[in-house]
Amino acid sequence: SFSRGSEVISVGQPCDTAVHPSARRLGIFSAMTTLALDLAKQEDIKVIFNNPNPEAALGDLRMGWRDLGG
């Protein structure tokens, strides 16, 4: 969690995701990410952040994530 003044904000960071090369381009990464985001909403997590490798970052960007730089 992060604090902003007296407000505590619940945050989350997804764990690494791997899809076997023979199963890529089938929507598995997107489905897993969507499920994780749905679960985060149920837990009232307000912010999700990630630090993906360059290949995984492409999947995040295709799903609408934003690169805030590092």
Side-chain angles (χ1 to χ4, degrees), residues 1-66:
S1 62
F2 293 141
S3 296
R4 182 173 57 189
S6 61
E7 181 183 12
V8 177
I9 301 168
S10 297
V11 300
Q13 180 182 16
C15 64
D16 294 338
T17 305
V19 177
H20 191 274
S22 67
R24 290 184 182 153
R25 311 299 292 170
L26 299 175
I28 295 169
F29 175 84
S30 297
M32 289 190 299
T33 301
T34 299
L35 177 60
L37 293 174
D38 289 344
L39 293 171
K41 285 180 187 176
Q42 291 176 23
E43 296 294 322
D44 200 33
I45 294 174
K46 302 291 188 197
V47 175
I48 303 287
F49 66 96
N50 203 358
N51 187 23
N53 64 47
E55 188 172 329
L58 295 175
D60 290 341
L61 293 172
R62 279 193 295 269
M63 292 195 65
W65 292 57
R66 292 181 292 146

